[in-house]
Amino acid sequence: MNPITRRDLLRTTGLTAGAIALTGHAPANAEAAPGAGVDEPETNPMRLWYTAPATEWLEALAVGNGRVGAMVFGGVAAETLMLNEDTVWAGGPHDYADPRGSEALPEIRRLINEEKWGEAQNLAGERFMGRPTEQMQYQPVGDLHLDFPGLTGDVTEYRRSLDLTTAITTTTFVVDGVRHTREIFSSHAHQVLVARFTADAPGAISFDGRYESLQETSTHAHDTRTLALEGRSGEAEGLEGKVRFVSLARAVAEGGSVTCGATRLRVRGADAVTLVVSIGTSHRNYLDVSGDHFAKAVEPLEQTPVQGYGVLRRAHVRDYQEMFGRVDIDLGTSPSVDLPTDERVVAFRDGQDPQLAALYYQFGRYLLISSSRSPGQPANLQGLWNDKMLPPWQSKYTLNINCEMNYWPAGPANLAECWQPLFAMIEELAESGARTAKKMWGAKGWVAHHNTDLWRGSAPVDFAFYGVWPTGGAWLSLLFWEHYEYTGDLDTLREYFPVLRGAVEFFLDTLVQDEATGYLVTNPSHSPEIKHHEINDESVSICAGPTMDMQILRDLFTAFDKACAVLGQDRAMAAQAIAARDQLPPNQIGHLGQLQEWLIDWEEAATEISRHVSHLWGVFPSDQITPRRTPELAVAADRSLELRGPAVTAGWSLAWKMNIRARLLQADGVYTHLTQLLSTGRTAPNLFDLHPPFQIDGNFGGTSAINETIMQSHSGEVWLLPCVPDAWPAGKVRGLRARGAFELSITWTDGRLQTARIQSLAGNTIRLRTDLPVRVSGPGGPVDVERPEDGLAVFDTRRGATYVVEPLP
């Protein structure tokens, strides 16, 4: 790949903004006027909408700027904004690594080699776990309640919505003949939450604002128009909460009056009100919580031009649409678009609503933009939104699938910037992981196991059954190379190359030779969250060299070798990595025709029912197994899906299986899983993914899978329309990204390619796979195309140039 710098990347992104939309509706970057568009007809509106206020959290609408988030209920006489800030976590800076862990490692390995699985797992549980064994949880800031004393009459013409093209929630209704309009958004441009209240009669806006929190907090008047909520994060596992936070709510009224007491913000008789909420915490980094939380909250509040709501709104929309507006998608329409979103989810299984799939796709992009932007933390297990002091699975970063799934759309859905908070976390995790590698493995480099948190825990946690899996850091490190493949951004690859190198160094130092086979393997490890035995009624997972580990390390060593070549660094170490890669056990087929999950083909384990399909990592997100290059292994992977059991056990599991089905070119299977995912058991009324309970990874995995049906880029090829379901016979998409640093727009009819536009961001040669022979034209006319086999067109490109691909007549 020809490298490009950040300056080149910004220039080509600018070219993208001017690309011609292939969709038939208005481009996504067309800004709407305040309050407009609520009732105007659209063919395929990118809007979630409802006819009643939310009565529970999973009905409320999410807004976020990557750091500050809120759930908006759309109430009439009482509105609630449930607030989050992404550094409010329980506990404080803490090193989980147990310095005695390395003492037990040789004995654990010996027991595994002697197939004393239960003894090995028990010993790991006693002497090879982090301290404490549970990590910290993500926690809420609190709720801002707005009570409107004058709105007690009958409500008519109610509607609340979330416009994905502007990232603004709107609530409209009529009470006593007065139409009220409320707009709420979380501005990345100004780093504040903004609420605007207007009415079509003068003096009609009055409310009382008050805070409520599950944390230990206090309130006071920050000034005559600003109410403050101040608190500290909670204690967990014996670790005192160390994150101090403050939320400031300031009301600026046009007409009327604003006063503030110790517990309430009071607005009376205003024509319009702009409410601005700023949140600051004491978190500086994972080792330091000594920051001035008040200063962090006050600065954006004082810099916000509250006298001009239009300025706030325009800056927010412009900033947001620069990212969201890169991609348009149209999968067709039907009368279902006229139904409220919650009703459409109920009816999706019956078919005839292709636009809901497009809406769901764009909602995934919206959530990633809203929960993963700098400055800020990566999207956690619930993205940015959480209403509980102890959320499910602590709302951590689960590294054996869930955290990585959150970022599957980042490359292909043209949101590369969303990787940056994750990359910053990985860099910090490498520091923590170096300490864990030394203390618990006696090794060089760095390691992260199956979970981490704000404090960058990298030691084994939870239980030995789940926690001793050592390849979380390896999987994360692969994302640096993935970013380069999609963007050609050499600067970012160079910046994080030491982190990638450290992950490789750890495994070169810790891989051991399996006594039975002679292969190099991880030991101890497990295939995440699934047993291979039961011993005395206890599930046992600990083992050496599970298939997922070997697949990840095969890609890790390969990516490191390629990165070294591109950067001209560490060629000697790259040679060591390739030599180790060639000694890893290969993918194998088991006795039932399945892809083998462990070195040993355990008979009872092959039919274990589970939501995890870890050994199919080689199908997706990797490309080690494909129907074209490894047909026997592809058949074995399909058999594994069959043996693993019904596909409706978890939303994120369905999403992963959708991506695997797409890579196996099973369009019907992808769509079947989509109907299962977009159902009331797996998708909430507000389109949040349900495990159940809520987990955001299924949203991101579903977006990725829809991408994979329309365009795949792996194995050195870009494939147009590899497995589009029959339910989407015609469609259009603009702005997808492919590996090799290409940007694509595609239209199709009757399931066949009509035209494609490919913009080359780095000037690489493209190997383009299509079901029909194609002709290619570029800026200078027809392009010479090599055709090494049917369906494959190979041609050189020029950086910044656009190429048109059409079927041969």
Side-chain angles (χ1 to χ4, degrees):
M1 179 185 291
N2 294 326
I4 60 178
T5 65
R6 283 201 179 104
R7 181 176 297 175
D8 295 323
L9 188 64
L10 290 172
R11 186 181 71 246
T12 54
T13 300
L15 290 173
T16 301
I20 297 173
L22 293 180
T23 56
H25 51 79
N29 60 356
E31 182 180 346
V38 174
D39 296 314
E40 61 189 43
E42 294 182 70
T43 303
N44 287 319
M46 283 295 150
R47 184 178 293 115
L48 287 67
W49 68 275
Y50 307 84
T51 59
T55 59
E56 58 183 57
W57 196 80
L58 288 172
E59 295 174 347
L61 295 172
V63 296
N65 64 13
R67 184 181 68 87
V68 175
M71 297 296 287
V72 182
F73 280 66
V76 174
E79 173 62 288
T80 297
L81 305 179
M82 287 188 168
L83 302 175
N84 291 104
E85 201 278 350
D86 65 5
T87 59
V88 178
W89 286 67
H94 179 74
D95 186 355
Y96 292 90
D98 186 343
R100 301 169 299 172
S102 61
E103 299 172 3
L105 186 59
E107 178 66 6
I108 294 170
R109 285 173 167 166
R110 183 187 69 79
L111 292 170
I112 290 173
N113 285 331
E114 294 178 3
E115 299 188 1
K116 296 178 179 178
W117 315 111
E119 293 178 44
Q121 186 164 293
N122 288 336
L123 180 60
E126 294 169 4
R127 299 181 56 191
F128 199 70
M129 301 301 294
R131 297 292 182 265
T133 57
E134 295 286 334
Q135 290 178 345
M136 300 299 100
Q137 60 262 29
Y138 180 50
Q139 295 184 328
V141 170
D143 302 341
L144 179 57
H145 297 288
L146 305 174
D147 300 314
F148 297 82
L151 300 182
T152 58
D154 292 338
V155 178
T156 60
E157 300 181 43
Y158 180 91
R159 182 164 174 174
R160 65 183 174 99
S161 64
L162 168 61
D163 188 341
L164 299 184
T165 68
T166 61
I168 297 175
T169 69
T170 303
T171 302
T172 63
F173 54 87
V174 174
V175 174
D176 295 330
V178 178
R179 178 174 295 277
H180 294 259
T181 301
R182 299 171 184 169
E183 290 192 334
I184 299 174
F185 58 87
S186 188
S187 170
H188 179 264
H190 286 96
Q191 287 296 302
V192 292
L193 183 75
V194 180
R196 175 69 167 176
F197 307 101
T198 61
D200 63 2
I205 308 298
S206 297
F207 65 82
D208 293 323
R210 55 186 174 85
Y211 279 114
E212 189 175 64
S213 180
L214 298 173
Q215 307 274 16
E216 292 187 8
T217 57
S218 61
T219 62
H220 65 270
H222 177 67
D223 56 36
T224 58
R225 56 179 180 167
T226 308
L227 182 65
L229 171 78
E230 188 174 10
R232 184 187 295 266
S233 65
E235 176 272 345
E237 302 296 324
L239 299 180
E240 180 186 359
K242 294 288 190 178
V243 180
R244 292 169 294 154
F245 62 85
V246 63
S247 177
L248 302 176
R250 172 171 292 175
V252 178
E254 299 167 27
S257 64
V258 178
T259 57
C260 188
T263 60
R264 288 181 184 269
L265 179 67
R266 183 181 176 93
V267 175
R268 288 296 182 268
D271 301 330
V273 178
T274 301
L275 182 68
V276 181
V277 180
S278 179
I279 304 176
T281 80
S282 62
H283 176 271
R284 292 174 181 256
N285 57 55
Y286 78 107
L287 295 172
D288 185 355
V289 290
S290 65
D292 187 335
H293 54 301
F294 257 101
K296 286 186 179 181
V298 168
E299 182 179 2
L301 193 66
E302 295 299 333
Q303 294 179 355
T304 298
V306 293
Q307 296 293 345
Y309 173 69
V311 174
L312 285 168
R313 191 184 194 279
R314 284 190 295 272
H316 159 70
V317 173
R318 183 166 53 247
D319 172 85
Y320 168 75
Q321 287 184 344
E322 196 285 319
M323 295 179 67
F324 184 82
R326 296 171 190 167
V327 173
D328 282 320
I329 185 170
D330 187 345
L331 300 176
T333 190
S334 75
S336 296
V337 300
D338 296 326
L339 296 175
T341 304
D342 49 348
E343 295 182 21
R344 295 174 70 183
V345 171
V346 173
F348 185 77
R349 188 183 292 267
D350 298 330
Q352 305 305 313
D353 193 0
Q355 200 271 338
L356 183 59
L359 182 71
Y360 187 78
Y361 172 90
Q362 290 285 44
F363 183 63
R365 295 183 70 244
Y366 166 82
L367 291 176
L368 190 55
I369 296 170
S370 301
S371 63
S372 186
R373 294 191 70 180
S374 296
Q377 299 297 312
N380 61 46
L381 203 59
Q382 295 185 191
L384 179 61
W385 303 276
N386 166 44
D387 63 332
K388 296 178 174 63
M389 290 291 283
L390 182 59
W393 299 280
Q394 292 86 35
S395 195
K396 295 177 296 188
Y397 303 97
T398 303
L399 305 182
N400 63 23
I401 174 60
N402 313 96
C403 177
E404 292 87 353
M405 183 183 288
N406 284 359
Y407 289 87
W408 286 352
N414 210 339
L415 297 173
E417 298 93 328
C418 292
W419 265 313
Q420 289 306 318
L422 180 64
F423 288 179
M425 183 187 83
I426 299 170
E427 189 171 41
E428 292 183 334
L429 191 58
E431 296 177 5
S432 166
R435 293 189 289 272
T436 297
K438 183 177 181 179
K439 291 179 181 179
M440 300 194 68
W441 290 82
K444 303 174 184 177
W446 71 277
V447 63
H449 294 80
H450 89 298
N451 257 305
T452 192
D453 57 9
L454 184 71
W455 314 116
R456 306 315 184 223
S458 52
V461 291
D462 296 337
F463 306 95
F465 180 86
Y466 303 106
V468 299
W469 183 71
T471 40
W475 188 350
L476 289 174
S477 296
L478 281 169
L479 301 182
F480 301 133
W481 181 251
E482 183 172 353
H483 179 274
Y484 175 72
E485 286 193 299
Y486 277 102
T487 66
D489 179 3
L490 191 64
D491 291 345
T492 298
L493 181 63
R494 183 179 290 110
E495 178 181 357
Y496 293 105
F497 177 78
V499 181
L500 173 62
R501 186 186 190 279
V504 172
E505 188 176 27
F506 172 80
F507 287 99
L508 290 180
D509 204 27
T510 57
L511 287 173
V512 295
Q513 189 173 49
D514 179 63
E515 294 183 358
T517 64
Y519 290 123
L520 286 182
V521 295
T522 50
N523 185 353
S525 186
H526 51 242
S527 194
E529 304 191 33
I530 189 167
K531 67 183 181 183
H532 54 70
H533 268 85
E534 277 197 4
I535 299 176
N536 298 325
D537 295 325
E538 288 194 15
S539 295
V540 178
S541 68
I542 203 164
C543 66
T547 296
M548 187 189 202
D549 282 10
M550 301 302 98
Q551 292 169 342
I552 289 175
L553 294 186
R554 195 171 292 116
D555 276 7
L556 178 70
F557 294 152
T558 300
F560 179 69
D561 177 59
K562 292 179 179 179
C564 289
V566 169
L567 297 173
Q569 298 186 34
D570 284 298
R571 297 306 299 154
M573 186 173 172
Q576 290 180 305
I578 294 303
R581 181 196 67 184
D582 294 342
Q583 297 178 66
L584 300 174
N587 290 304
Q588 301 178 77
I589 298 176
H591 70 289
L592 295 177
Q594 86 285 8
L595 189 70
Q596 201 165 297
E597 193 160 0
W598 299 272
L599 279 176
I600 299 171
D601 187 16
W602 280 300
E603 182 174 351
E604 61 270 36
T607 56
E608 180 72 16
I609 303 299
S610 173
R611 62 186 183 271
H612 285 265
V613 287
S614 301
H615 55 312
L616 303 187
W617 192 95
V619 182
F620 187 93
S622 182
D623 65 343
Q624 294 175 33
I625 300 171
T626 73
R628 293 188 60 81
R629 292 188 294 108
T630 59
E632 291 184 357
L633 290 174
V635 171
D638 184 51
R639 175 65 169 152
S640 288
L641 284 177
E642 177 187 352
L643 292 171
R644 189 53 30 111
V648 294
T649 53
W652 66 263
S653 178
L654 281 167
W656 193 357
K657 290 168 183 174
M658 284 172 62
N659 285 273
I660 292 170
R661 296 286 186 193
R663 286 290 178 87
L664 295 176
L665 307 181
Q666 299 173 358
D668 290 344
V670 174
Y671 193 74
T672 295
H673 289 338
L674 180 62
T675 62
Q676 294 166 335
L677 184 63
L678 263 174
S679 66
T680 53
R682 295 291 171 261
T683 294
N686 64 0
L687 293 192
F688 271 172
D689 170 69
L690 301 176
H691 183 286
F694 166 50
Q695 275 188 209
I696 205 168
D697 40 19
N699 288 105
F700 297 134
T703 293
S704 171
I706 292 171
N707 258 319
E708 291 288 321
T709 68
I710 298 170
M711 184 276 296
Q712 295 181 16
S713 63
H714 56 82
S715 308
E717 298 178 354
V718 177
W719 194 340
L720 306 183
L721 308 179
C723 61
V724 176
D726 291 340
W728 309 331
K732 307 173 186 179
V733 66
R734 172 182 63 84
L736 301 186
R737 283 285 181 95
R739 290 178 174 89
F742 300 103
E743 189 161 305
L744 295 89
S745 300
I746 309 167
T747 65
W748 67 95
T749 57
D750 298 324
R752 312 302 291 271
L753 177 68
Q754 184 176 1
T755 185
R757 292 178 180 268
I758 302 174
Q759 184 186 22
S760 176
L761 306 181
N764 292 311
T765 298
I766 186 170
R767 297 172 61 85
L768 187 68
R769 186 168 294 281
T770 59
D771 288 339
L772 297 171
V774 295
R775 61 186 178 189
V776 181
S777 59
V783 173
D784 291 333
V785 175
E786 295 182 23
R787 306 181 191 278
E789 62 181 78
D790 288 344
L792 190 63
V794 182
F795 56 95
D796 295 330
T797 69
R798 188 176 75 246
R799 181 180 296 177
T802 298
Y803 300 84
V804 178
V805 179
E806 298 173 303
L808 286 172

